[in-house]
Amino acid sequence: MSVHGAVDPSLGATAPALQHVPSRARAALTGGGPGGNEEVTARTGILLVALLAVLGVTIIGIGQFIWLHLFLGLLLLGPVALKMGSTGYRFARYYTRNQTYRDKGPPELLLRLLAPSVVITTVIVFASGIVLLFEGPKSRGIWLSLHKVSFFVWLAAMALHVLGHLPGLPRQLRGVEPVEALGGAPPGQAGRWILLGGSVVAGAVLAIVLLPHFGVWTAPGALHHHHHGG
């Protein structure tokens, strides 16, 4: 990408929306092309793995950590949306025959085969979790079963997804080469960090806004009623 030429956004921002922004600023926010897309996808993936590890601990001690389980589940929505957005953008650019993405090549076959199961189970896990949050412990039956089963299927698919990305992770994290015109910063680096940080902030804000709904789950005896109710 030329810093002074047309912007090749790594995550879908369009040149018309940024036509009044100086080219250097545009490059700092939206440059990077396929390499920038890979970098933000990889960094978001690492963040998700870390958050999922903590979420796993909350499942082991769900009675004690139900509030943290709910909070993390909502916080994860931001990074999950970013991860799906970045991978979906690469998919769209490749299959609409954008030349820079065609030159980069398609994802590995294993990752392409896993993608539908990852997307579908992600939607089911979080949708069922949100329903359970609003319905409370009285919502027994299909929603809880759906949430549990889809979570473990999702976890297995995500584990394979992460393993499939491991060989290329160091290269992806290196991202885009710095350019002198941006003061030694890689094109799009500022925009990628804004996206990553913004996804966490958005998820945290959502969790804070929905804190009042945690009460039905954190009330004394709520989980006991959930497990042993009729």
Side-chain angles (χ1 to χ4, degrees):
M1 186 205 78
S2 171
V3 173
H4 299 289
V7 175
D8 177 19
S10 61
L11 287 175
T14 57
L18 298 167
Q19 59 185 350
H20 300 299
V21 180
S23 59
R24 179 170 174 171
R26 279 184 284 161
L29 291 172
T30 66
N37 179 273
E38 279 193 336
E39 182 185 346
V40 75
T41 300
R43 293 191 184 279
T44 307
I46 291 173
L47 174 63
L48 285 173
V49 169
L51 291 173
L52 285 170
V54 180
L55 192 69
V57 174
T58 68
I59 294 173
I60 296 171
I62 193 69
Q64 182 179 1
F65 298 117
I66 181 62
W67 66 271
L68 184 56
H69 182 83
L70 295 170
F71 191 92
L72 285 176
L74 292 167
L75 187 149
L76 275 163
L77 285 171
V80 163
L82 177 57
K83 179 74 161 53
M84 293 178 70
S86 64
T87 53
Y89 181 75
R90 177 182 175 180
F91 176 91
R93 296 292 275 177
Y94 180 83
Y95 286 104
T96 54
R97 300 189 176 278
N98 177 273
Q99 194 56 50
T100 55
Y101 283 83
R102 299 290 291 184
D103 292 342
K104 188 74 174 178
E108 296 294 330
L109 179 60
L110 171 64
L111 298 177
R112 281 181 282 163
L113 292 175
L114 277 172
S117 61
V118 172
V119 171
I120 292 170
T121 54
T122 297
V123 172
I124 294 174
V125 165
F126 285 97
S128 59
I130 291 172
V131 170
L132 286 169
L133 172 63
F134 284 101
E135 290 293 320
K138 64 183 177 63
S139 57
R140 297 178 293 275
I142 186 171
W143 288 112
L144 179 62
S145 299
L146 187 63
H147 188 63
K148 286 181 176 179
V149 172
S150 60
F151 176 81
F152 287 110
V153 175
W154 178 62
L155 199 60
M158 283 292 291
L160 292 173
H161 181 77
V162 170
L163 288 174
H165 274 290
L166 280 180
L169 191 60
R171 174 185 55 79
Q172 293 168 3
L173 289 174
R174 283 197 300 270
V176 186
E177 292 298 321
V179 295
E180 185 177 347
L182 291 177
Q189 184 181 65
R192 291 189 288 277
W193 281 113
I194 289 171
L195 281 173
L196 188 60
S199 72
V200 176
V201 171
V205 168
L206 178 62
I208 292 169
V209 168
L210 293 179
L211 275 175
H213 294 277
F214 290 16
V216 293
W217 285 99
T218 57
L223 289 179
H224 177 81
H225 170 76
H226 178 60
H227 289 303
H228 299 287

